[in-house]
Amino acid sequence: MDVGGTKTEGVAVDVDGTILARLRRPTEWGADAVIAGIVETTQALAAEVGFTAADILSVGVGVPGLVDAAQGRVLHAVNLGVESLDIARLAGAEIGAPIFVENDVKAAALGAASLRPDTAPMAYLNLGTGVAAGVVTGGRLWRGSRGIAGEVGHIPIEPNGRLCGCGQRGCIETLCGGGAVGRAWGRGGDYPVLDVYDAADAGDVEARALRADIARGAAAAVSVLVLTTDVETVVIGGGLTALADRLEPDLRAALRMNAAASPFIASLRLDERIELLAPGSPVAALGAALLGVEQPLSYPVGAADTSAVTFDKENPDHG
Ligand SMILES: [Zn+2]
């Protein structure tokens, strides 16, 4: 499941990654409510597909925040009202199955990778309230040594740019993160990025500049991911993809403009290496579910070798 700040999306999947059931429910605030929500979501999905508790091989939980995957713990999940929470231990005691916990964007990267026809190295770039990415290589998440791999949102690209929540100036996230765009727009509204696009279409000068920033920031994120990891594909998801009909042409134009200025960048063919996910695709929940399957992506989805499904409770961070 993907436990987000406002909603929890859950899927029940078979060992080959086939989605058997899917549900969405509101997320409630605070540690006790988060654990109760994970337990209830698991029970509801199990009931829907006719599983007993013994049928559940594992439960994967994607959460926004700093995750210690080895301990199954999340820190600083401010959107959930949680400072520190031992999800694996607390939810595992009630569910009676191994619980795997991962950062939500990293889980989404795993889920997006599982939907691909091959296991070529790929990155998942999340353009949502914030901007972050996950890299999957050899069918496994590449976390880096401290779990920071893929945090492209906080790479500064404009020394005199807007102040970022992280304390730096001109981070990629200040250009194309929904939260930062909303603050820069400063006119309120429930969907400030949509308002920016609409106002830009109507000729508003400030909105047109912000709209250009979104494309420029997203293009920079794609460039950074390919230049640092040489992933074959950058799959783009997150809330901003609800505006794909306007975001995608802008992003492709920004990538082509960068290519026109540099034969080297042109040779990377970045505009051929991006793909936008369909809005609402439950990749974070799917990827979370796959956390418990050893080498989840070593085979094409739909052709699973179930003998590879093993668990190591002593070392759940098998990525
Ligand atoms: Zn930053």
Side-chain angles (χ1 to χ4, degrees):
M1 65 196 74
D2 175 24
V3 181
T6 55
K7 67 176 188 337
T8 294
E9 173 117 44
V11 293
V13 305
D14 216 331
V15 286
D16 65 359
T18 304
I19 294 177
L20 305 174
R22 179 176 173 182
L23 67 79
R24 186 181 276 197
R25 46 178 285 155
T27 302
E28 290 180 49
W29 179 264
D32 292 347
V34 167
I35 296 297
I38 290 167
V39 173
E40 287 161 20
T41 301
T42 304
Q43 290 167 342
L45 283 167
E48 192 167 332
V49 295
F51 282 6
T52 66
D55 295 324
I56 302 170
L57 292 174
S58 71
V59 174
V61 182
V63 280
L66 191 62
V67 168
D68 179 344
Q71 299 296 324
R73 180 187 301 149
V74 65
L75 301 171
H76 312 304
V78 289
N79 293 336
L80 303 179
V82 165
E83 180 52 35
S84 170
L85 187 57
D86 282 318
I87 292 175
R89 187 173 57 82
L90 296 170
E94 293 202 45
I95 294 169
I99 312 287
F100 297 87
V101 184
E102 188 50 87
N103 168 267
D104 56 349
V105 173
K106 298 235 177 342
L110 202 54
S114 78
L115 298 175
R116 301 200 60 72
D118 57 49
T119 56
M122 62 81 70
Y124 170 78
L125 173 62
N126 192 76
L127 300 177
T129 306
V131 177
V135 177
V136 178
T137 176
R140 294 184 173 203
L141 269 174
W142 180 47
R143 296 184 175 86
S145 62
R146 300 188 186 190
I148 302 300
E151 289 291 342
V152 295
H154 296 292
I155 294 175
I157 60 170
E158 293 195 331
N160 300 314
R162 289 188 284 273
L163 191 62
C164 183
C166 76
Q168 303 184 101
R169 275 195 185 277
C171 290
I172 286 175
E173 184 170 299
T174 65
L175 297 173
C176 60
V181 171
R183 284 190 294 279
W185 181 235
R187 302 186 198 179
D190 288 339
Y191 302 101
V193 180
L194 174 62
D195 294 343
V196 165
Y197 276 95
D198 286 346
D201 284 345
D204 183 287
V205 174
E206 191 188 344
R208 291 178 70 157
L210 287 173
R211 177 175 177 163
D213 282 350
I214 294 171
R216 201 154 50 86
V222 171
S223 294
V224 164
L225 286 166
V226 172
L227 285 167
T228 54
T229 65
D230 194 27
V231 284
E232 179 59 28
T233 309
V234 178
V235 175
I236 300 173
L240 265 62
T241 57
L243 301 163
D245 57 332
R246 293 187 273 184
L247 171 68
E248 187 171 3
D250 283 8
L251 171 56
R252 290 189 184 279
L255 291 170
R256 284 194 296 271
M257 198 171 76
N258 294 348
S262 160
F264 169 60
I265 295 298
S267 76
L268 304 179
R269 301 189 173 279
L270 294 174
D271 68 327
E272 296 173 12
R273 291 162 82 155
I274 61 165
E275 288 180 22
L276 273 74
L277 275 181
S281 182
V283 285
L286 174 61
L290 295 173
L291 288 167
V293 182
E294 183 73 18
Q295 298 186 352
L297 307 170
S298 60
Y299 45 78
V301 168
D305 173 7
T306 54
S307 66
V309 180
T310 57
F311 297 100
D312 181 355
K313 289 185 186 178
E314 298 304 311
N315 182 23
D317 183 24
H318 49 224

Short mmCIF file of all heavy atoms in Angstrom, two decimals, residues 127 162 172 174-178 181-182 192-194 196-197 207-221 240 243 246-247 250-251 254:
data_model
loop_
_atom_site.label_atom_id
_atom_site.label_comp_id
_atom_site.label_asym_id
_atom_site.label_seq_id
_atom_site.Cartn_x
_atom_site.Cartn_y
_atom_site.Cartn_z
N LEU A 127 6.91 13.86 -10.07
CA LEU A 127 6.62 15.30 -10.06
C LEU A 127 5.30 15.48 -9.31
O LEU A 127 4.22 15.32 -9.87
CB LEU A 127 6.49 15.83 -11.49
CG LEU A 127 7.72 15.68 -12.40
CD1 LEU A 127 7.40 16.20 -13.81
CD2 LEU A 127 8.92 16.42 -11.83
N ARG A 162 14.76 30.71 -6.36
CA ARG A 162 13.90 30.78 -5.17
C ARG A 162 14.45 29.90 -4.05
O ARG A 162 15.05 28.85 -4.31
CB ARG A 162 12.48 30.31 -5.54
CG ARG A 162 11.73 31.29 -6.41
CD ARG A 162 10.28 30.89 -6.58
NE ARG A 162 10.07 29.79 -7.51
CZ ARG A 162 9.91 29.94 -8.82
NH1 ARG A 162 9.94 31.14 -9.38
NH2 ARG A 162 9.71 28.90 -9.60
N ILE A 172 15.99 22.13 -8.14
CA ILE A 172 15.06 21.67 -9.19
C ILE A 172 13.62 21.70 -8.66
O ILE A 172 12.70 22.12 -9.36
CB ILE A 172 15.47 20.26 -9.67
CG1 ILE A 172 16.72 20.37 -10.56
CG2 ILE A 172 14.32 19.58 -10.41
CD1 ILE A 172 17.30 19.03 -10.99
N THR A 174 12.26 23.75 -6.64
CA THR A 174 11.66 25.09 -6.60
C THR A 174 11.07 25.47 -7.96
O THR A 174 10.24 26.36 -8.04
CB THR A 174 12.69 26.17 -6.19
OG1 THR A 174 13.71 26.29 -7.20
CG2 THR A 174 13.32 25.87 -4.84
N LEU A 175 11.51 24.78 -9.01
CA LEU A 175 11.00 25.07 -10.35
C LEU A 175 9.80 24.20 -10.71
O LEU A 175 8.86 24.68 -11.35
CB LEU A 175 12.11 24.85 -11.39
CG LEU A 175 13.32 25.77 -11.27
CD1 LEU A 175 14.41 25.33 -12.24
CD2 LEU A 175 12.92 27.21 -11.56
N CYS A 176 9.84 22.91 -10.35
CA CYS A 176 8.80 22.01 -10.85
C CYS A 176 8.11 21.20 -9.76
O CYS A 176 7.38 20.26 -10.07
CB CYS A 176 9.35 21.10 -11.94
SG CYS A 176 10.71 20.05 -11.42
N GLY A 177 8.31 21.54 -8.50
CA GLY A 177 7.54 20.89 -7.44
C GLY A 177 6.20 21.61 -7.26
O GLY A 177 6.16 22.85 -7.22
N GLY A 178 5.13 20.86 -7.16
CA GLY A 178 3.81 21.48 -7.05
C GLY A 178 3.70 22.43 -5.87
O GLY A 178 3.08 23.50 -5.96
N VAL A 181 5.69 25.62 -6.72
CA VAL A 181 5.00 26.40 -7.75
C VAL A 181 3.80 27.12 -7.14
O VAL A 181 3.56 28.30 -7.42
CB VAL A 181 4.55 25.48 -8.92
CG1 VAL A 181 3.65 26.24 -9.89
CG2 VAL A 181 5.77 24.92 -9.66
N GLY A 182 3.07 26.42 -6.27
CA GLY A 182 1.93 27.04 -5.60
C GLY A 182 2.34 28.24 -4.76
O GLY A 182 1.66 29.28 -4.77
N PRO A 192 -3.14 24.88 -7.53
CA PRO A 192 -2.40 26.03 -8.06
C PRO A 192 -1.66 25.75 -9.36
O PRO A 192 -1.56 26.65 -10.20
CB PRO A 192 -1.43 26.39 -6.92
CG PRO A 192 -1.39 25.21 -6.02
CD PRO A 192 -2.71 24.52 -6.17
N VAL A 193 -1.17 24.52 -9.55
CA VAL A 193 -0.44 24.24 -10.79
C VAL A 193 -1.40 24.28 -11.98
O VAL A 193 -1.08 24.83 -13.04
CB VAL A 193 0.30 22.89 -10.71
CG1 VAL A 193 1.06 22.63 -12.01
CG2 VAL A 193 1.29 22.89 -9.54
N LEU A 194 -2.60 23.73 -11.78
CA LEU A 194 -3.63 23.83 -12.83
C LEU A 194 -3.96 25.29 -13.12
O LEU A 194 -4.07 25.71 -14.28
CB LEU A 194 -4.89 23.08 -12.38
CG LEU A 194 -6.12 23.19 -13.29
CD1 LEU A 194 -5.84 22.60 -14.67
CD2 LEU A 194 -7.32 22.48 -12.65
N VAL A 196 -2.00 27.81 -12.72
CA VAL A 196 -0.87 28.41 -13.45
C VAL A 196 -0.98 28.09 -14.94
O VAL A 196 -0.83 28.98 -15.79
CB VAL A 196 0.48 27.90 -12.87
CG1 VAL A 196 1.64 28.20 -13.82
CG2 VAL A 196 0.74 28.54 -11.50
N TYR A 197 -1.26 26.83 -15.26
CA TYR A 197 -1.38 26.45 -16.69
C TYR A 197 -2.54 27.21 -17.34
O TYR A 197 -2.41 27.72 -18.46
CB TYR A 197 -1.58 24.94 -16.83
CG TYR A 197 -0.28 24.16 -16.84
CD1 TYR A 197 0.22 23.59 -15.68
CD2 TYR A 197 0.44 23.98 -18.02
CE1 TYR A 197 1.41 22.87 -15.69
CE2 TYR A 197 1.63 23.27 -18.04
CZ TYR A 197 2.11 22.72 -16.87
OH TYR A 197 3.29 22.00 -16.87
N ALA A 207 2.35 33.71 -14.95
CA ALA A 207 2.02 32.29 -15.08
C ALA A 207 2.84 31.64 -16.20
O ALA A 207 3.26 30.49 -16.08
CB ALA A 207 0.53 32.12 -15.34
N ARG A 208 3.04 32.39 -17.28
CA ARG A 208 3.83 31.82 -18.38
C ARG A 208 5.27 31.55 -17.94
O ARG A 208 5.86 30.54 -18.35
CB ARG A 208 3.79 32.76 -19.59
CG ARG A 208 2.39 32.79 -20.21
CD ARG A 208 2.32 33.74 -21.38
NE ARG A 208 3.09 33.23 -22.52
CZ ARG A 208 2.85 33.59 -23.77
NH1 ARG A 208 1.89 34.46 -24.05
NH2 ARG A 208 3.56 33.10 -24.74
N ALA A 209 5.80 32.43 -17.10
CA ALA A 209 7.16 32.21 -16.60
C ALA A 209 7.21 30.97 -15.70
O ALA A 209 8.14 30.16 -15.79
CB ALA A 209 7.64 33.45 -15.83
N LEU A 210 6.19 30.82 -14.84
CA LEU A 210 6.16 29.65 -13.95
C LEU A 210 5.97 28.38 -14.76
O LEU A 210 6.56 27.34 -14.46
CB LEU A 210 5.03 29.81 -12.93
CG LEU A 210 5.29 30.84 -11.83
CD1 LEU A 210 4.03 31.02 -10.97
CD2 LEU A 210 6.46 30.42 -10.94
N ARG A 211 5.14 28.46 -15.79
CA ARG A 211 4.93 27.29 -16.64
C ARG A 211 6.23 26.87 -17.33
O ARG A 211 6.56 25.69 -17.41
CB ARG A 211 3.85 27.60 -17.68
CG ARG A 211 3.61 26.46 -18.63
CD ARG A 211 2.45 26.75 -19.56
NE ARG A 211 2.30 25.67 -20.52
CZ ARG A 211 1.21 25.46 -21.26
NH1 ARG A 211 0.18 26.28 -21.15
NH2 ARG A 211 1.16 24.46 -22.10
N ALA A 212 6.99 27.86 -17.77
CA ALA A 212 8.29 27.56 -18.40
C ALA A 212 9.25 26.96 -17.37
O ALA A 212 10.03 26.05 -17.68
CB ALA A 212 8.88 28.83 -19.01
N ASP A 213 9.18 27.47 -16.13
CA ASP A 213 10.02 26.93 -15.06
C ASP A 213 9.74 25.44 -14.83
O ASP A 213 10.66 24.65 -14.60
CB ASP A 213 9.75 27.66 -13.73
CG ASP A 213 10.44 29.02 -13.66
OD1 ASP A 213 11.26 29.33 -14.54
OD2 ASP A 213 10.12 29.78 -12.71
N ILE A 214 8.45 25.07 -14.85
CA ILE A 214 8.08 23.67 -14.60
C ILE A 214 8.77 22.78 -15.64
O ILE A 214 9.39 21.76 -15.30
CB ILE A 214 6.55 23.49 -14.64
CG1 ILE A 214 5.89 24.23 -13.47
CG2 ILE A 214 6.19 22.00 -14.61
CD1 ILE A 214 4.36 24.30 -13.56
N ALA A 215 8.68 23.17 -16.90
CA ALA A 215 9.28 22.37 -17.97
C ALA A 215 10.80 22.34 -17.84
O ALA A 215 11.44 21.30 -18.00
CB ALA A 215 8.87 22.93 -19.33
N ARG A 216 11.37 23.50 -17.52
CA ARG A 216 12.83 23.59 -17.40
C ARG A 216 13.33 22.74 -16.23
O ARG A 216 14.33 22.03 -16.35
CB ARG A 216 13.20 25.06 -17.17
CG ARG A 216 14.62 25.44 -17.50
CD ARG A 216 14.68 26.93 -17.86
NE ARG A 216 14.00 27.78 -16.87
CZ ARG A 216 14.58 28.24 -15.76
NH1 ARG A 216 15.83 27.96 -15.52
NH2 ARG A 216 13.90 28.99 -14.91
N GLY A 217 12.63 22.80 -15.10
CA GLY A 217 13.02 22.00 -13.94
C GLY A 217 12.89 20.51 -14.21
O GLY A 217 13.78 19.73 -13.87
N ALA A 218 11.78 20.12 -14.83
CA ALA A 218 11.58 18.69 -15.12
C ALA A 218 12.63 18.21 -16.12
O ALA A 218 13.15 17.09 -15.99
CB ALA A 218 10.17 18.46 -15.67
N ALA A 219 12.95 19.05 -17.10
CA ALA A 219 13.99 18.68 -18.08
C ALA A 219 15.34 18.52 -17.39
O ALA A 219 16.10 17.60 -17.70
CB ALA A 219 14.07 19.73 -19.19
N ALA A 220 15.62 19.40 -16.44
CA ALA A 220 16.88 19.29 -15.69
C ALA A 220 16.93 17.98 -14.90
O ALA A 220 17.96 17.31 -14.85
CB ALA A 220 17.05 20.49 -14.76
N ALA A 221 15.80 17.62 -14.30
CA ALA A 221 15.75 16.36 -13.52
C ALA A 221 16.02 15.16 -14.43
O ALA A 221 16.76 14.24 -14.07
CB ALA A 221 14.41 16.23 -12.83
N LEU A 240 1.54 15.93 -10.92
CA LEU A 240 1.57 16.84 -12.07
C LEU A 240 1.21 16.14 -13.39
O LEU A 240 0.85 16.80 -14.37
CB LEU A 240 2.95 17.52 -12.21
CG LEU A 240 3.05 18.90 -11.54
CD1 LEU A 240 2.83 18.82 -10.05
CD2 LEU A 240 4.39 19.55 -11.84
N LEU A 243 -1.82 16.75 -15.50
CA LEU A 243 -1.79 17.82 -16.51
C LEU A 243 -0.92 17.42 -17.69
O LEU A 243 -0.31 18.26 -18.36
CB LEU A 243 -1.26 19.11 -15.88
CG LEU A 243 -2.08 19.61 -14.69
CD1 LEU A 243 -1.30 20.62 -13.88
CD2 LEU A 243 -3.39 20.22 -15.19
N ARG A 246 -0.59 19.09 -21.13
CA ARG A 246 0.14 20.36 -21.26
C ARG A 246 1.58 20.24 -20.79
O ARG A 246 2.47 20.88 -21.32
CB ARG A 246 -0.61 21.46 -20.50
CG ARG A 246 -1.96 21.75 -21.20
CD ARG A 246 -2.66 22.94 -20.61
NE ARG A 246 -3.48 22.55 -19.49
CZ ARG A 246 -4.28 23.41 -18.84
NH1 ARG A 246 -4.33 24.69 -19.20
NH2 ARG A 246 -5.01 23.00 -17.83
N LEU A 247 1.80 19.39 -19.77
CA LEU A 247 3.16 19.21 -19.25
C LEU A 247 4.08 18.53 -20.27
O LEU A 247 5.22 18.94 -20.49
CB LEU A 247 3.10 18.37 -17.96
CG LEU A 247 4.42 17.89 -17.38
CD1 LEU A 247 5.25 19.06 -16.86
CD2 LEU A 247 4.18 16.88 -16.26
N ASP A 250 5.44 20.62 -23.24
CA ASP A 250 6.39 21.60 -22.71
C ASP A 250 7.73 20.94 -22.37
O ASP A 250 8.79 21.47 -22.66
CB ASP A 250 5.86 22.23 -21.41
CG ASP A 250 4.79 23.29 -21.65
OD1 ASP A 250 4.34 23.42 -22.81
OD2 ASP A 250 4.41 23.97 -20.68
N LEU A 251 7.64 19.78 -21.69
CA LEU A 251 8.85 19.07 -21.27
C LEU A 251 9.65 18.61 -22.48
O LEU A 251 10.87 18.78 -22.54
CB LEU A 251 8.47 17.88 -20.38
CG LEU A 251 9.59 16.91 -20.02
CD1 LEU A 251 10.76 17.61 -19.35
CD2 LEU A 251 9.05 15.79 -19.12
N ALA A 254 11.38 21.53 -23.97
CA ALA A 254 12.54 21.96 -23.17
C ALA A 254 13.73 21.02 -23.40
O ALA A 254 14.87 21.46 -23.52
CB ALA A 254 12.17 22.00 -21.69
#
